[in-house]
Structures are given as C-alpha cells and as structure tokens.
C-alpha cells in the first residue's frame, strides 16, 4: 500500500489501512476503539448537527469526556498506517501528527466557548481547524530539533 493511500483510508476510518495491509490486530483494535469512542461521545450525531448548523445542540449532545480521546486515536492510527506503508523513516517525523493530535484535543476542549469572527464553531469545526496549526507547529519543531542536532 502506498503512503498516501494509507493516510486516506485512515482519514476515512481509523483501522481501515491496517486491515488493507493485513495488520489485522491493529486494524481490529483501531476500528473497535473508533466505534466505542464514537458511540460514547455521540460523535456521529455531533457531526450531523454541526453540518446542519445546529452548533449549540451539538455542544449539548457531546460527551466531552469521551470525545477528547478521539483526536489521539485518530492521529495515532493515521501515523501507524503511514509507518506501515513505509513512511515516517526520518528522525522526528512523527512530530507533525503528534502536535496535530494535541492541537485538535485542545480545540475540542475549547470548542464550546471559542468564537471566531462571532461564530461559535463547536466540537467539529474548531477541532478540524486546529489540525493546520498543529501540523505546522510539529513541522517547525521538527525542523528546529534537526537543525540544532546538526549544529
């Protein structure tokens, strides 16, 4: 499986890429955890309500104690699939996904309160927007660490 394919299947559902690469133990584990967290957090309902513009209802229906587990599972499954497909061989290449998971988790925590341009983005859109600064921070920190080590 190619690295891009692994990432795309992991975006679709954590565990799919592992199943395709015949890493069944990890695949079943990630799929089970995804379903467990998804159901306990009411995540599909939250996604649907967010797409329909019913942000306050999405916030009220979210079980944040469960929802906060989702970003780490999601990005770790993505990293595992990417590594299994031959990616991530460079030193500290995991940092962008680690920081994306961290920023998305923080975005999830603040999602009931943070407004951008007067709009409450809620537990789907603010975490999604948090991916970008998370990835960028991870890339920058990786670059700094590598340049300090090279000096």
């Amino acid at each position: 499986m190619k690295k891009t394919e692994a990432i795309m299947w992991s975006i679709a559902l954590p565990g799919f890429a592992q199943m395709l690469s015949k890493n069944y133990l990890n695949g079943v584990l990630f799929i089970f955890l995804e379903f467990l967290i998804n159901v306990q957090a009411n995540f599909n309902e939250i996604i649907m309500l967010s797409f329909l513009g019913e942000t306050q209802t999405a916030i009220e229906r979210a079980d944040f104690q469960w929802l906060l587990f989702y970003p780490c599972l999601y990005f770790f499954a993505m990293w595992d699939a990417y590594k299994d497909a031959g990616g991530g061989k460079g030193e500290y290449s995991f940092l962008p996904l680690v920081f994306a998971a961290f920023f998305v988790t923080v975005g999830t925590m603040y999602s009931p309160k943070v407004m951008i341009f007067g709009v409450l983005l809620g537990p789907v859109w603010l975490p999604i927007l948090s991916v970008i600064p998370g990835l960028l921070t991870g890339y920058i920190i990786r670059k700094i660490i590598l340049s300090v080590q090279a000096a």
Side-chain angles (χ1 to χ4, degrees):
M1 177 180 331
K2 293 183 179 181
K3 293 177 275 193
T4 305
E5 181 182 4
I7 291 287
M8 292 301 166
W9 279 115
S10 288
I11 289 170
L13 187 85
F16 274 6
Q18 287 80 0
M19 297 299 277
L20 286 171
S21 66
K22 296 180 174 48
N23 189 346
Y24 298 117
L25 181 62
N26 282 3
V28 169
L29 179 64
F30 288 139
I31 291 170
F32 170 77
L33 289 172
E34 198 285 336
F35 275 93
L36 176 67
I37 295 167
N38 186 307
V39 169
Q40 293 298 320
N42 302 319
F43 199 34
N44 283 348
E45 183 180 11
I46 295 164
I47 293 169
M48 188 176 73
L49 289 165
S50 296
F51 270 84
L52 295 172
E54 298 178 32
T55 306
Q56 190 58 47
T57 306
I59 291 167
E60 292 164 8
R61 301 270 172 86
D63 185 331
F64 284 91
Q65 293 300 313
W66 280 96
L67 191 57
L68 289 171
F69 286 112
Y70 198 80
C72 290
L73 171 69
Y74 193 78
F75 285 100
F76 182 76
M78 201 179 301
W79 170 251
D80 183 68
Y82 181 69
K83 246 182 35 179
D84 199 37
K89 295 194 185 306
E91 279 191 288
Y92 306 106
S93 57
F94 59 89
L95 284 176
L97 289 178
V98 168
F99 276 90
F102 175 73
F103 274 62
V104 171
T105 301
V106 172
T108 301
M109 284 190 284
Y110 282 101
S111 66
K113 299 196 179 281
V114 170
M115 296 180 85
I116 298 179
F117 302 115
V119 176
L120 182 63
L121 296 175
V124 170
W125 301 116
L126 185 61
I128 286 174
L129 288 177
S130 301
V131 170
I132 298 164
L135 289 173
L136 289 173
T137 301
Y139 281 119
I140 290 167
I141 289 175
R142 178 177 185 261
K143 197 167 188 103
I144 290 169
I145 291 171
L146 291 174
S147 67
V148 167
Q149 284 182 341

